[in-house]
């Protein structure tokens, strides 16, 4: 091969190197400037997020709980100097008798109302200076107890300001809690210490779910630098941060910190609240943060490369005019020596032959030589062609047989693949999973079975179509294949269920896989230009601990998965015997309901709804009960809704109420309207309206005597169908009321266009806003309903003071135990004639 390091090559190389060096220096400088800008921009944006997280804790927890402690410390029930509470110093001895006085029971009721109104509160307690003590829920000590010796009492008895404890894990709930205590005094006399413990677990979990960019996360520290939130390092929880890798970032609120965590360089920003002293840290991979810098650097690199390429092309073209003819003729001679007579070489030689200089003379001589060599080569090719034709027949026969054998092998492999795999996702199917699990059990290995079911897959199929659903399943299957490894076997069990086998080569294998799955599902799936968020419920069973039987293990995982479904979905749980017992209990209730439906073993009780102005019963609410047993509707109604039995129960309830109304009318009694509760699932009872109309006609009951109570969650899905259904009820003459208003779905928008007559304020709403401090809120709610031309019914009223305040506020009707318990049908006529005070 010729050495082409000619003048042209040296010229090109010199210019190229002369430009490359300043380009590299300029690129390095720009890279440093861009990285500095990225760090500064990240610090500014992250500081805002950290301040917002800190403000969330200060406003949603610290301030609210301090105000609650202040409120309890000024309550008149605790300010009686002569108050006597139960003493527990001699608890366990024969002399101890628990006999609370009326005042102590009043305080317990007061604590109960506070706990019912604030679900974050775990315990409320009050210790007096004479050693008396009360706690709600009811105090059950394991030994003698004197509150005056406890840290919470000692830390608050000598200070007038509320005291906040450090977070700790509650022995009662096994959740992270924080305590608030406040000195109770009257006219300068210290009477004791009141306090409460508050559950902060959900707030900590929400904080742990906050994501900074694509990989960053939040770490939360208390005022004494104890770690409360650490999503990537759960082993750090409740440890002193000054002993961990993040110690350099503590109390640094102004600059970024660079440190190594788990062998990776991290960028850490921090903010400490001036109010609570708690500190929030953000931790981001430096490599992820600098991705934008690398993108800009790559763009510059491409620009530099393009510039050098253009320069190279210009120099190359100039040199080419001088040296290319010589190299072109040399290439033709070399091709002839290799017996290569291609058109490219002939065309190049023809161009050179037209030149009038020495190069043209050489080119013409080489052309003559090329033609002689080609003539000899043609003769040799004709001789070889005859030999090749004879060999071709033998080769084609051999290749045909080989191709046929390969085709048969491929078909057999595909048939075996179809037998062991799911046709949609190409994951192993149920048969292959059972076979693999049996082999693992026979080998004596330990592991886990995970049953995973998509929570909202049916809704996606119904709203987006089955094609989108199938594409989503394919994406999820690909995700599983990415996170599965040598010891993880993933299969599609059927529908939107997946069965996963994990061999426990190390103790953390199961939890590691679950965490990987949670991260994988956290991001929305892109399907046909749509981004679909998918949640899942997962049941986990271990072997050989739970069982060594294939079918039993699958059943265990299925039971655990349905336990997650029944407790709110979107999570995972391990199988245990308690779960199995609870599911059996639920099955027993379902069986009881089916028998009650078949035997019509329900009855209706009627609670008066009293008109505020007259004190007379303006109507009644029908409440369903079982004729036998003491099973509460609060237990069997949710199960009836989950199983769909509420449709049949709802029909029986409406039929019993209409029949009873017919009996009262026939007996000449004075009849008041009766309201019946209506479940959202009854919307899917196709013949309900016809059944309702025919039953009213059969018993000669005017539709105006029947009222249907609906809850606002009935409008969360299929609003058009719901409005059509309600409008048809109004056309029949049936009145409508919104029940449980204020329990979580309240919307003024609904009230403005729904065809309803009444708004029923929920018991919890009344308890929360009927005190002196919040009475204006209740007045505003009633005034708003009246402005929309709706009558207001207050439910769950038990005390005279509540009745008085509702009457002053303009509430139209009141219902509750203050006036009457639910009555049997025989007692209703007397209740109609009664005037309630």
């Amino acid at each position: 091969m010729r050495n082409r390091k000619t003048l042209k090559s040296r010229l090109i190389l010199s210019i190229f190197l002369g430009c490359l060096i300043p380009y590299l220096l300029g690129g390095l400088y720009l890279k440093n400037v861009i990285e500095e800008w990225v760090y500064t921009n990240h610090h500014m944006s992250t500081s805002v997020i950290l301040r917002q997280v800190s403000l969330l804790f200060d406003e949603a927890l610290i301030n609210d709980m301090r105000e609650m402690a202040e409120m309890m410390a000024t309550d008149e029930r605790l300010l009686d100097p002569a108050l006597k509470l139960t003493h527990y110093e001699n608890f366990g001895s024969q002399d101890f008798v628990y006999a609370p006085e009326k005042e102590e029971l009043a305080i317990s009721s007061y604590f109960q109302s506070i706990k019912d109104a604030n679900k974050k509160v775990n315990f409320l307690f009050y210790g007096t200076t004479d050693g008396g003590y009360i706690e709600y829920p009811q105090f059950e000590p394991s030994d003698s107890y004197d509150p005056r010796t406890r840290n919470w009492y000692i830390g608050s008895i000598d200070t007038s300001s509320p005291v906040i404890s450090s977070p700790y894990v509650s022995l009662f709930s096994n959740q992270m809690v924080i305590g608030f205590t406040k000195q109770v005094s009257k006219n300068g006399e210290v009477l004791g210490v009141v306090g409460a413990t508050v559950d902060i677990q959900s707030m900590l979990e929400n904080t742990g779910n906050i994501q900074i960019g694509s990989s960053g996360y939040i770490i939360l520290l208390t005022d004494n630098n104890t770690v409360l939130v650490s999503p990537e390092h759960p082993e750090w929880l409740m440890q002193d941060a000054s002993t961990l890798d993040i110690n350099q970032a503590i109390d640094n609120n102004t600059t970024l910190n660079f440190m190594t965590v788990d062998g990776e360089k991290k960028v850490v920003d921090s903010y400490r609240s001036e109010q609570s002293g708690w500190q929030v840290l953000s931790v981001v991979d430096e490599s992820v943060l600098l991705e934008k810098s690398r993108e800009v650097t790559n763009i510059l690199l491409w620009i530099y490369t393009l510039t050098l390429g253009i320069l190279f092309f210009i120099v190359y073209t100039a040199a080419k005019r001088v040296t290319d003819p010589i190299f072109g003729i040399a290439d033709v001679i070399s091709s002839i020596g290799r017996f290569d007579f291609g058109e490219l070489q002939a065309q190049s030689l023809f161009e050179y032959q037209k030149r009038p200089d020495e190069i043209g003379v050489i080119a013409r001589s080489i052309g003559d030589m090329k033609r002689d060599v080609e003539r000899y080569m043609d003769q040799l090719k004709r001789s070889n062609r005859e030999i090749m034709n004879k060999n071709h027949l033998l080769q084609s026969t051999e290749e045909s047989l080989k191709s046929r054998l390969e085709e048969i092998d491929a078909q057999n492999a595909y048939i075996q693949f179809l037998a062991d795999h799911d046709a949609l996702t190409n994951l192993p199917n149920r048969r292959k999973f059972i076979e693999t699990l049996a082999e693992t059990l026979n080998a004596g290995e330990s592991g886990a079975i995970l049953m995973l079911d998509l929570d909202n897959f049916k809704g996606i199929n119904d709203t987006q179509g089955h094609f989108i659903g199938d594409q989503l399943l394919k994406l999820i299957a690909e995700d599983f294949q990415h996170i599965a490894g040598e010891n993880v076997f993933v299969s599609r069990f059927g529908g939107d269920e997946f069965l996963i086998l994990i061999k426990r080569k190390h103790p953390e294998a199961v939890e590691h896989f679950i965490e990987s799955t949670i991260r994988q599902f956290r991001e929305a799936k892109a399907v046909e230009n749509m981004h679909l968020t998918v949640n899942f419920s997962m049941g986990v069973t271990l072997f050989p601990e739970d069982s060594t039987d294939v079918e039993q293990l699958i059943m265990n995982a299925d039971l655990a998965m349905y336990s997650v479904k029944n407790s709110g979905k979107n999570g995972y749980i391990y199988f245990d015997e308690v779960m199995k017992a609870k599911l059996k209990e639920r099955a027993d209730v379902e069986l009881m309901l089916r028998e009650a439906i078949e035997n019509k073993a329900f009855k209706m009780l009627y609670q008066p709804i009293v008109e505020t102005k007259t004190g007379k019963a303006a109507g009644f609410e029908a409440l369903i009960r079982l004729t036998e047993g003491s099973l509460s509707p609060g237990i069997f109604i949710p199960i009836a809704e989950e199983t769909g039995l509420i449709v049949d129960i709802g029909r029986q309830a409406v039929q019993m109420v209409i029949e009873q109304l017919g009996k009262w009318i026939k007996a000449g009694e004075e009849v008041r309207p009766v309201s019946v509760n209506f479940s959202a699932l009854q919307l899917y009872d196709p013949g309900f309206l016809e059944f309702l109309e025919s039953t009213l006609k059969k018993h000669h009951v005017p539709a105006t005597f029947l009222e249907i109570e609906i809850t606002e969650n009935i409008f969360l899905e299929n609003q058009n169908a719901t409005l059509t259904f309600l409008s048809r009820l109004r056309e029949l003459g049936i009145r409508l009321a919104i029940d449980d208003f204020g329990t979580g779905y309240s919307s003024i928008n609904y009230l403005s266009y729904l065809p309803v007559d009444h708004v029923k304020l929920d018991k919890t709403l009344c308890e929360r806003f009927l005190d002196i401090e919040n009475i204006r809120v209740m007045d505003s709610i009633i005034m708003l309903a009246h402005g929309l031309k709706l009558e207001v019914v207050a439910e769950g009223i038990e005390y005279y003071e509540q009745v008085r305040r509702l009457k002053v506020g303009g509430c139209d009707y009141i219902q509750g135990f203050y006036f009457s318990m639910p009555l049997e049908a025989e007692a209703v006529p007397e209740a109609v004639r009664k005037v309630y005070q």
Side-chain angles (χ1 to χ4, degrees):
M1 179 179 289
R2 294 185 309 277
N3 186 352
R4 295 197 173 190
K5 290 185 179 180
T6 61
L7 178 62
K8 179 180 70 174
S9 301
R10 295 189 181 93
L11 178 62
I12 294 173
L13 182 61
S14 298
I15 297 176
F16 183 79
L17 292 177
C19 296
L20 181 61
I21 293 174
Y23 278 3
L24 289 176
L25 294 176
L28 290 174
Y29 172 76
L30 287 176
K31 176 178 178 294
N32 292 333
V33 171
I34 293 170
E35 288 183 357
E36 183 66 26
W37 175 83
V38 169
Y39 287 132
T40 303
N41 187 62
H42 169 75
H43 175 63
M44 293 174 64
S45 61
T46 304
S47 296
V48 174
I49 297 174
L50 298 183
R51 285 186 175 89
Q52 290 176 344
V53 173
S54 179
L55 184 61
L56 172 65
F57 273 90
D58 290 344
E59 291 184 352
L61 179 65
I62 306 300
N63 292 342
D64 287 351
M65 293 303 105
R66 280 177 174 167
E67 290 177 4
M68 186 183 74
E70 294 279 5
M71 177 190 72
M72 291 192 298
T74 57
D75 191 273
E76 290 296 329
R77 283 165 282 206
L78 276 65
L79 296 178
D80 184 3
L83 176 65
K84 297 297 182 182
L85 300 179
T86 301
H87 286 248
Y88 295 88
E89 292 93 335
N90 61 345
F91 181 80
S93 67
Q94 296 180 351
D95 297 332
F96 177 81
V97 177
Y98 179 71
E101 298 292 338
K102 180 174 67 175
E103 293 80 4
E104 184 171 347
L105 294 175
I107 294 174
S108 179
S109 177
Y110 173 56
F111 283 175
Q112 181 182 2
S113 66
I114 294 176
K115 179 173 173 56
D116 291 342
N118 194 330
K119 300 304 181 183
K120 293 186 292 187
V121 174
N122 293 98
F123 287 95
L124 299 104
F125 48 86
Y126 178 42
T128 62
T129 54
D130 65 351
Y133 184 73
I134 182 174
E135 183 179 279
Y136 183 84
Q138 184 174 346
F139 186 49
E140 295 181 358
S142 59
D143 204 347
S144 62
Y145 186 86
D146 187 346
R148 296 169 297 182
T149 64
R150 301 294 170 165
N151 290 335
W152 59 265
Y153 183 98
I154 297 171
S156 297
I157 192 64
D158 294 326
T159 178
S160 60
S161 300
V163 177
I164 306 173
S165 74
S166 297
Y168 62 94
V169 178
S170 170
L171 295 176
F172 173 75
S173 63
N174 201 29
Q175 300 289 319
M176 190 71 70
V177 299
I178 189 171
F180 294 82
T181 53
K182 175 68 173 66
Q183 179 196 85
V184 179
S185 62
K186 183 176 183 181
N187 298 329
E189 179 184 357
V190 178
L191 303 179
V193 175
V194 68
T197 61
V198 179
D199 184 359
I200 62 173
Q201 187 70 33
S202 61
M203 296 185 70
L204 296 181
E205 291 175 354
N206 290 336
T207 302
N209 291 332
I210 295 176
Q211 191 169 1
I212 306 297
S214 61
S215 66
Y217 53 91
I218 290 291
I219 295 177
L220 179 64
L221 311 178
T222 64
D223 53 348
N224 61 357
N225 296 327
T226 299
V227 179
L228 289 184
V229 173
S230 179
E232 294 296 323
H233 293 275
E235 70 275 7
W236 289 358
L237 294 178
M238 302 306 293
Q239 293 193 33
D240 186 353
S242 61
T243 65
L244 304 174
D245 292 344
I246 57 173
N247 64 324
Q248 299 177 26
I250 299 174
D251 293 327
N252 192 338
N253 288 356
T254 58
T255 60
L256 290 172
N257 291 276
F258 300 88
M259 58 190 64
T260 301
V261 179
D262 297 335
E264 296 182 357
K265 192 171 183 181
K266 307 287 184 178
V267 179
V268 182
D269 208 339
S270 66
Y271 179 80
R272 185 179 291 275
S273 169
E274 295 180 358
Q275 184 171 353
S276 63
W278 290 14
Q279 186 172 10
V280 188
L281 306 178
S282 70
V283 182
V284 179
D285 288 348
E286 185 186 42
S287 59
V288 175
L289 189 61
L290 294 180
E291 282 183 0
K292 287 293 182 182
S293 172
R294 286 193 290 271
E295 290 178 4
V296 175
T297 303
N298 289 337
I299 293 174
L300 291 175
L301 181 61
W302 278 107
I303 294 175
Y304 292 164
T305 304
L306 180 61
T307 303
L308 290 175
I310 294 173
L311 183 62
F312 178 85
F313 175 76
I314 294 172
V315 176
Y316 177 81
T317 302
K320 183 178 179 181
R321 297 291 299 174
V322 178
T323 59
D324 276 6
I326 297 173
F327 288 126
I329 294 175
D331 287 340
V332 172
I333 296 172
S334 178
S335 298
I336 294 174
R338 297 192 305 271
F339 301 103
D340 180 6
F341 307 111
E343 294 183 0
L344 181 61
Q345 288 76 12
Q347 184 177 358
S348 299
L349 189 61
F350 178 75
E351 292 295 329
Y352 299 144
Q353 287 174 349
K354 293 189 296 182
R355 296 183 60 157
D357 53 14
E358 292 81 0
I359 293 177
V361 175
I362 297 173
R364 287 189 288 274
S365 298
I366 294 174
D368 294 338
M369 181 182 66
K370 177 176 178 294
R371 284 190 293 272
D372 293 339
V373 174
E374 285 178 342
R375 188 165 50 252
Y376 292 130
M377 287 298 299
D378 288 340
Q379 293 176 359
L380 181 61
K381 287 178 180 179
R382 283 194 294 271
S383 300
N384 289 336
R385 192 176 298 117
E386 295 178 1
I387 299 173
M388 292 175 63
N389 288 336
K390 294 179 180 178
N391 292 332
H392 178 70
L393 180 62
L394 294 175
Q395 291 177 354
S396 61
T397 303
E398 181 182 357
E399 290 175 357
S400 177
L401 292 174
K402 183 178 179 181
S403 175
R404 182 57 181 164
L405 290 175
E406 290 176 350
E407 182 180 348
I408 294 173
D409 291 340
Q411 289 177 347
N412 290 336
Y414 182 65
I415 292 172
Q416 183 61 42
F417 181 84
L418 291 179
D420 292 340
H421 291 76
D422 171 58
L424 176 65
T425 63
N426 288 334
L427 287 175
N429 56 20
R430 176 174 182 163
R431 190 191 71 83
K432 186 62 176 178
F433 178 87
I434 292 175
E435 177 184 317
T436 304
L437 176 57
E439 292 173 355
T440 304
L441 293 172
N442 292 335
E445 297 189 59
S446 62
I449 306 299
L450 284 66
M451 172 79 80
L452 184 146
D453 181 87
L454 305 183
D455 291 336
N456 54 342
F457 185 71
K458 182 180 183 300
I460 293 173
N461 264 344
D462 293 342
T463 58
Q464 307 298 334
H466 288 274
F467 173 77
I468 297 297
D470 289 346
Q471 297 304 310
L472 178 61
L473 288 176
K474 290 181 179 179
L475 286 178
I476 293 173
E478 292 176 2
D479 289 343
F480 276 134
Q481 290 172 344
H482 290 156
I483 60 179
E486 178 183 356
N487 299 316
V488 178
F489 184 83
V490 181
S491 70
R492 185 186 179 198
F493 201 58
D496 58 345
E497 291 183 337
F498 297 86
L499 262 178
I500 303 161
L501 167 63
I502 300 177
K503 299 178 183 179
R504 286 183 291 173
K505 297 301 182 183
H506 55 86
E508 299 83 10
V510 178
E511 285 296 329
H512 176 73
F513 180 83
I514 293 174
E515 291 172 1
S516 299
T517 303
I518 292 173
R519 288 194 297 270
Q520 197 75 32
F521 275 77
R522 189 175 295 160
E523 298 182 0
K525 310 297 181 186
V527 182
E528 297 292 324
N529 297 324
M530 292 183 294
H531 288 80
L532 304 176
T533 300
V534 182
N535 298 325
F536 67 88
S537 298
M538 183 189 295
V540 185
T541 185
L542 304 176
F543 63 84
E545 294 90 331
D546 296 335
S547 176
T548 55
D549 180 74
V550 171
E551 295 298 331
Q552 184 63 50
L553 285 171
I554 295 176
M555 185 183 300
N556 291 349
D558 190 56
L559 287 174
M561 184 268 289
Y562 274 102
S563 178
V564 177
K565 289 279 190 185
N566 295 329
S567 60
K569 302 182 179 180
N570 194 23
Y572 70 95
I573 194 171
Y574 284 82
F575 169 81
D576 57 30
E577 293 299 327
V578 175
M579 180 190 309
K580 189 174 183 179
K582 288 183 178 178
L583 290 175
K584 183 180 183 304
E585 180 181 348
R586 180 185 179 280
D588 293 339
V589 173
E590 181 180 349
L591 178 60
M592 183 187 303
L593 289 177
R594 293 187 184 277
E595 293 176 351
I597 292 172
E598 183 178 355
N599 300 324
K600 296 186 176 180
F602 295 97
K603 67 176 181 178
M604 304 303 292
L605 300 181
Y606 301 84
Q607 188 173 37
I609 301 174
V610 178
E611 187 176 15
T612 310
K613 294 180 180 179
T614 64
K616 293 184 177 181
F620 296 83
E621 181 179 2
L623 303 170
I624 195 166
R625 300 289 188 271
L626 289 168
T627 56
E628 296 182 2
S630 58
L631 190 63
S632 167
I635 297 176
F636 72 75
I637 290 296
I639 295 177
E641 291 187 325
E642 293 171 9
T643 57
L645 298 176
I646 194 67
V647 174
D648 293 330
I649 295 175
R651 282 207 178 196
Q652 289 194 19
V654 170
Q655 184 172 359
M656 286 188 288
V657 169
I658 295 175
E659 288 178 354
Q660 187 59 57
L661 284 168
K663 291 178 182 178
W664 287 330
I665 293 173
K666 188 175 182 180
E669 298 288 350
E670 187 176 2
V671 179
R672 295 286 184 269
V674 176
S675 60
V676 182
N677 289 288
F678 189 84
S679 170
L681 291 179
Q682 291 179 261
L683 285 173
Y684 303 100
D685 184 356
F688 180 80
L689 288 171
E690 291 73 16
F691 163 79
L692 180 60
E693 188 174 8
S694 64
T695 306
L696 287 169
K697 290 180 180 179
K698 177 181 178 180
H699 296 282
H700 307 288
V701 176
T704 53
F705 283 142
L706 186 65
E707 184 174 275
I708 298 294
E709 291 188 11
I710 57 177
T711 56
E712 292 173 287
N713 61 1
I714 202 172
F715 304 102
L716 295 182
E717 296 181 3
N718 205 354
Q719 294 185 11
N720 293 332
T722 302
L723 286 173
T724 301
F725 180 87
L726 297 181
S727 298
R728 290 192 62 187
L729 287 177
R730 287 298 299 272
E731 291 172 2
L732 294 176
I734 295 172
R735 295 163 62 85
L736 299 173
I738 292 183
D739 194 17
D740 297 336
F741 183 80
T743 56
Y745 298 99
S746 302
S747 172
I748 302 304
N749 184 42
Y750 291 156
L751 296 180
S752 64
Y753 67 82
L754 291 179
V756 297
D757 306 286
H758 295 108
V759 172
K760 301 193 74 173
L761 304 182
D762 187 71
K763 179 178 184 293
T764 58
L765 190 70
C766 295
E767 290 176 345
R768 182 176 182 184
F769 295 114
L770 278 180
D771 54 14
I772 295 176
E773 291 79 8
N774 296 317
I775 189 63
R776 290 184 179 178
V777 177
M778 180 59 71
D779 292 344
S780 299
I781 294 174
I782 295 172
M783 186 181 301
L784 174 63
H786 285 168
L788 296 171
K789 297 182 180 181
L790 300 175
E791 294 180 317
V792 179
V793 181
E795 293 182 296
I797 305 305
E798 301 179 3
Y799 305 106
Y800 169 74
E801 185 61 20
Q802 293 177 316
V803 175
R804 186 187 68 79
R805 291 177 179 174
L806 285 168
K807 188 172 183 181
V808 172
C811 184
D812 302 293
Y813 305 99
I814 298 175
Q815 176 184 348
F817 289 168
Y818 177 80
F819 292 119
S820 174
M821 302 282 286
L823 305 172
E824 297 285 346
E826 295 78 9
V828 170
E830 180 62 27
V832 172
R833 294 186 287 270
K834 183 178 179 180
V835 177
Y836 293 89
Q837 300 299 323

